[in-house]
Amino acid sequence: MTGHEVGPTLRTDDAGWLLTERGWEADRSVAVGSNFLAGNGYLGYRGTTPEQGPDEYVALVVTDTYDCADGHWRELTTAPNPLFVAASIEGTIVAATAADEVETTLDLRSGTVGARIVQRVGEATVTIDVERFASYDDLHVLAQRWTLRSDREVVVDVDARIDDRIWSLNGTHLPEVRLDTEGDVRIATATTVDSGVEIVTLAHLTGPTGTATVAAGDELVVETAAVVMTSNDVDDPGPAARARLAAAAAAGFDALASANTDRWREIWETMDVVVEGDVVDQVGLRFSAYHNRICTPAHTDRLPIGARGLSCQAYQGAAFWDQEVYNLPPFLWTEPDIARSILVYRHLTLDGARRKAARLGYDGAYFAWISGDTGDELCPDVFFTDVLTGRPIRNHFNDWQMHVAPDVVTLVERYVAVTGDVDLLVDHGAEIAFEVARFLHSFVRYDEWRGVYHCIRLLGPDEWHENVDDNAFTNHQVRRALAFAVETHERLAADHPEALAALADRIGLRSDEIDGWRRVRDRMLLPQPDDDTDLIEQFAGFFELEDVRPDDVRARLLDPGEYWGWPNGVAVATQVSKQPDVVMLLWQQAGAFDDDVARANYEYYEPRCAHGSTLSQAAHGMVAIRIGDLDRALDHFRRTALVDLRNTAHAVVGGTFIGGIHTAACGGTYQLAINGFGGLGV
Ligand code: IFM
């Protein structure tokens, strides 16, 4: 196999643009389908081959189709598959799972996914080549060209249609799929079971279906132009989708491909970062940039970036803090309008955050840990199962992991600082900052004895330690968000008094509230480096926990699938963290601590971190760069850039499927390249 080795079955070309996966292994199919995703922020089509189905995790994930089925979680819906094409010869299906050779490719320059299947059928050697992309020129369009050749004459049964067998993670969202045919157009119409979103999937097929004789050396070509539209796009998606399909079909595959390539060329003009050195680093970086772009619904400010993008339904197609801390910052430098629309999304979903705050007894807006189209909390009470007892584990991600609220405010602050876009602050950011400040003010607890405010009973970034007090990262972020809210109030009072008055009127903001924010800002307990060791304690009492390393606690597992965290996991009574926490603080608030503090804490906490989240390596890499440890920084970069390509994250934890593209790792990789090695700063 030519090219440079990325993984045992994966290569890249000399230029670092093309990825090639050899073979089809059932145990890599979750990862390969995600890695070779064709997408455009509106839809994602997994990197499977055209004859495959639910067993191989074929999925067309469509944004803005949140639905709750069979009493499970609210998640995005997977649509009927318009790109299904299967060939049988003498009763034998030509299929990746049965082939002698299979190759899947991704050309990152144009987001074009390719596949080659070579299979001996009787005396003949049959080759199928596939090219497919999700158009950036028309986000509703998918196009595929399927070409069959044989070295001997064969009689082929071609089955090309919309496949209504749908892989869905949590229940059946489309219980009835109506299939119709109008001339060359196949139509699938279905409505989500709970949310009532109508999804129309159309396929225009060019080429033979049924039985065809292919002479040796001849080609049999099936081209599919497909369109997906939903009733969240337009009131009546059927006619709108037909009009788009007519245009796409008239243009044909080559014209659609060249329009898509043109759009990608424009994107890469600003997004590409050239690595002088290792081509595997280069392709890892481009792969990350590609996925960070296609997971982002840049066409709208109504929708979030999912933690797994549109690569599957895991994590419900919804945003975590990952969105602001990992996915958004790259766009500050490349396409600031996209960064802006992500923040506008948070503004538009403030009501959901207000509902969460009110439900839990707080003021203001408490952003959801898992946030979909409305901003209401999507995170279920139970995420994992105790594999030893079979009992559900009640985690408190949804009610205690409150740093997400100040984290969003931090990005409003950074966005305005980098872009100078004060309009965003006036029209959207101020309301976010004020409502979060209200929430924080109602969340903190005053200790009269010491004269300080505490944050108690929460989760910091390290999710294995729940129910902790005064988490250093959180307390510092809370203070920063309050300071920003106060500054924003002062700035608007000075420069935009009318806008401030209108906003204050609308949200009923009183001047004594600002005094309250100032008071908490000035008296917030802020864990500081120890005078002797420079160490910052992760949370109150952390240093009293057992001081062991990840390998020590791993050795205590009774079952490899055990959940390590709260309440009874092996890490809970130890200093072993799932992911960076103090190190996260040193990244996000780099200016607040000097290099000696950064070094001491990196050296202490990194060996105690299990890197049990794909968010982990990028944060460590950023701090390693800061302290000048470039070797370790490069190691962190490679681990984050290649986590999906090498499939080194666990696909199932505590009984929960969490496969898909780790989009935070993608954004983190890009930040390591430009903010870290590239020197642009945090
Ligand atoms: O937001 C993260 C969290 O920090 C760790 N678990 C996965 C989430 C989604 O990526």
Side-chain angles (χ1 to χ4, degrees):
M1 202 172 161
T2 57
H4 305 262
E5 181 175 325
V6 180
T9 52
L10 188 62
R11 295 284 188 281
T12 184
D13 62 341
D14 290 343
W17 282 109
L18 187 72
L19 282 160
T20 304
E21 172 84 22
R22 256 292 163 90
W24 180 271
E25 300 293 335
D27 61 357
R28 256 186 76 71
S29 61
V30 171
V32 172
S34 304
N35 292 342
F36 291 75
L37 186 79
N40 57 23
Y42 174 81
L43 56 83
Y45 190 96
R46 288 172 57 80
T48 44
T49 48
E51 79 291 352
Q52 293 186 324
D55 288 348
E56 291 87 19
Y57 312 110
V58 169
L60 166 53
V61 183
V62 185
T63 199
D64 204 9
T65 55
Y66 294 99
D67 184 60
C68 188
D70 304 336
H72 291 294
W73 303 349
R74 197 159 188 262
E75 63 187 3
L76 291 179
T77 300
T78 37
N81 173 16
L83 304 183
F84 181 83
V85 187
S88 336
I89 298 166
E90 296 163 15
T92 300
I93 295 199
V94 184
T97 47
D100 300 300
E101 279 172 42
V102 183
E103 215 173 71
T104 312
T105 57
L106 171 60
D107 187 340
L108 294 160
R109 261 170 307 218
S110 59
T112 304
V113 176
R116 167 166 283 199
I117 296 172
V118 182
Q119 188 172 327
R120 274 195 73 77
V121 184
E123 295 296 303
T125 299
V126 178
T127 304
I128 292 176
D129 282 304
V130 183
E131 256 181 283
R132 166 198 308 149
F133 57 89
S135 173
Y136 253 107
D137 191 51
D138 181 339
L139 302 181
H140 299 275
V141 170
L142 277 162
Q144 178 175 280
R145 176 183 277 154
W146 176 99
T147 307
L148 181 145
R149 293 182 193 83
S150 172
D151 64 350
R152 297 183 178 224
E153 181 174 292
V154 283
V155 178
V156 187
D157 284 322
V158 182
D159 180 11
R161 58 187 157 86
I162 299 181
D163 187 2
D164 62 349
R165 298 169 303 153
I166 298 173
W167 173 51
S168 180
L169 213 46
N170 293 293
T172 305
H173 296 288
L174 303 176
E176 282 175 39
V177 178
R178 215 184 65 225
L179 295 174
D180 297 301
T181 303
E182 287 173 12
D184 290 341
V185 179
R186 310 296 167 99
I187 304 163
T189 314
T191 300
T192 58
V193 65
D194 185 51
S195 56
V197 179
E198 185 183 347
I199 302 178
V200 176
T201 311
L202 305 180
H204 176 276
L205 295 162
T206 313
T209 56
T211 304
T213 301
V214 184
D218 275 4
E219 287 184 346
L220 187 65
V221 181
V222 176
E223 286 180 4
T224 311
V227 165
V228 187
M229 289 196 87
T230 80
S231 53
N232 282 337
D233 302 321
V234 286
D235 287 343
D236 190 2
R242 279 180 181 75
R244 275 173 196 267
L245 187 72
F253 184 88
D254 289 329
L256 293 174
S258 102
N260 173 56
T261 303
D262 288 349
R263 279 295 297 125
W264 269 108
R265 195 175 298 116
E266 287 163 25
I267 292 170
W268 282 115
E269 252 164 42
T270 49
M271 188 168 77
D272 191 28
V273 176
V274 175
V275 173
E276 288 177 5
D278 193 323
V279 70
V280 176
D281 294 336
Q282 175 72 80
V283 81
L285 176 55
R286 289 195 176 126
F287 173 83
S288 302
Y290 170 80
H291 277 287
N292 200 50
R293 188 64 171 73
I294 68 172
C295 74
T296 301
H299 57 285
T300 176
D301 50 20
R302 278 194 319 100
L303 296 171
I305 299 176
R308 296 293 177 269
L310 301 169
S311 65
C312 66
Q313 292 156 297
Y315 283 144
Q316 300 162 266
F320 292 60
W321 68 313
D322 313 25
Q323 173 172 273
E324 277 72 20
V325 180
Y326 288 83
N327 304 111
L328 183 156
F331 295 117
L332 290 174
W333 308 111
T334 58
E335 294 174 275
D337 285 353
I338 297 180
R340 183 181 217 276
S341 73
I342 296 166
L343 296 173
V344 173
Y345 156 80
R346 288 293 190 182
H347 185 217
L348 294 178
T349 53
L350 268 177
D351 277 345
R354 288 185 179 106
R355 285 189 284 273
K356 172 172 171 179
R359 182 168 48 81
L360 296 172
Y362 301 112
D363 300 334
Y366 180 175
F367 285 114
W369 183 242
I370 306 189
S371 181
D373 52 347
T374 66
D376 287 289
E377 183 59 81
L378 293 186
C379 184
D381 286 351
V382 174
F383 225 88
F384 301 122
T385 303
D386 179 349
V387 293
L388 301 176
T389 62
R391 291 190 186 124
I393 298 174
R394 168 65 167 113
N395 292 113
H396 287 276
F397 307 138
N398 57 8
D399 49 355
W400 294 351
Q401 194 150 185
M402 47 77 69
H403 65 79
V404 59
D407 299 341
V408 172
V409 175
T410 301
L411 259 293
V412 174
E413 182 185 356
R414 274 186 68 198
Y415 170 84
V416 177
V418 171
T419 64
D421 177 2
V422 179
D423 288 349
L424 179 279
L425 184 65
V426 174
D427 298 340
H428 309 281
E431 189 169 349
I432 295 175
F434 297 166
E435 290 291 19
V436 167
R438 281 176 154 170
F439 159 60
L440 299 176
H441 181 265
S442 67
F443 182 87
V444 295
R445 288 287 163 266
Y446 189 56
D447 176 347
E448 285 203 22
W449 189 253
R450 296 169 69 194
V452 292
Y453 286 91
H454 298 272
C455 292
I456 63 167
R457 200 162 68 152
L458 50 80
L459 272 104
D462 166 20
E463 296 184 325
W464 285 343
H465 293 94
E466 300 194 21
N467 197 9
V468 305
D469 297 341
D470 289 324
N471 169 254
F473 173 80
T474 304
N475 286 25
H476 281 269
Q477 286 290 85
V478 166
R479 187 200 169 276
R480 179 172 177 175
L482 287 166
F484 181 68
V486 171
E487 277 165 30
T488 299
H489 193 270
E490 289 165 355
R491 183 170 185 177
L492 264 59
D495 301 339
H496 305 273
E498 284 171 13
L500 177 62
L503 173 58
D505 193 43
R506 190 153 51 76
I507 65 173
L509 187 66
R510 304 179 317 272
S511 60
D512 63 310
E513 290 187 80
I514 325 304
D515 295 337
W517 304 344
R518 280 196 189 92
R519 200 164 45 244
V520 181
R521 175 198 66 185
D522 295 343
R523 297 188 199 168
M524 189 72 220
L525 183 138
L526 295 174
Q528 291 299 322
D530 178 85
D531 287 343
D532 297 326
T533 63
D534 271 343
L535 294 182
I536 301 169
E537 190 167 34
Q538 184 171 312
F539 52 76
F542 180 85
F543 288 138
E544 285 148 38
L545 297 175
E546 187 188 9
D547 188 12
V548 285
R549 300 291 191 273
D551 282 346
D552 301 321
V553 298
R554 189 173 289 110
R556 297 172 187 174
L557 291 172
L558 300 176
D559 182 306
E562 267 179 68
Y563 180 60
W564 288 34
W566 199 81
N568 297 318
V570 285
V572 173
T574 76
Q575 293 187 31
V576 170
S577 66
K578 175 182 179 187
Q579 61 200 94
D581 203 308
V582 170
V583 169
M584 200 73 204
L585 170 63
L586 295 167
W587 174 24
Q588 291 301 301
Q589 298 211 21
F593 304 97
D594 66 28
D595 288 351
D596 289 342
V597 171
R599 186 171 298 105
N601 284 280
Y602 173 89
E603 298 294 0
Y604 186 84
Y605 283 105
E606 198 281 331
R608 290 163 178 77
C609 178
H611 298 292
S613 159
T614 56
L615 276 61
S616 190
Q617 300 288 351
H620 280 92
M622 288 300 293
V623 178
I625 291 170
R626 186 227 173 126
I627 62 175
D629 193 335
L630 296 184
D631 287 342
R632 279 198 282 179
L634 187 56
D635 187 54
H636 292 305
F637 171 87
R638 288 177 174 154
R639 286 176 194 272
T640 192
L642 303 176
V643 64
D644 284 317
L645 289 172
R646 291 187 175 159
N647 196 19
T648 46
H650 306 294
V652 178
V653 174
T656 301
F657 173 98
I658 48 176
I661 285 291
H662 296 81
T663 67
C666 297
T669 299
Y670 198 82
Q671 290 189 63
L672 271 172
I674 61 169
N675 294 342
F677 294 116
L680 287 179
V682 181

